[in-house]
Amino acid sequence: MHPLVYAAALLVAWSSSLTHLSLHLLQVPEEDRLLAGAFMGAAYTLLGVPLAGLFHAIP
């Protein structure tokens, strides 16, 4: 498979798991989870881009 697919799967798994864990540990109320999750997911995805670079998908 193409390394870009691996990198994309890694970013999705990385950001979604850390977002879920952070929302749970920070005890974010249910009505604020959508907005907080969107921003946390974006931040974790940006932090995970160098990690995805290990698969040589991102030069």
Side-chain angles (χ1 to χ4, degrees), residues 11-29 32-49:
L11 281 176
V12 168
W14 162 271
S15 62
S16 63
S17 62
L18 284 178
T19 300
H20 177 74
L21 182 66
S22 296
L23 289 172
H24 178 71
L25 291 176
L26 293 172
Q27 298 177 352
V28 176
D32 296 331
R33 283 186 183 243
L34 181 63
L35 185 60
F39 281 109
M40 280 185 192
Y44 286 134
T45 301
L46 289 176
L47 288 173
V49 169

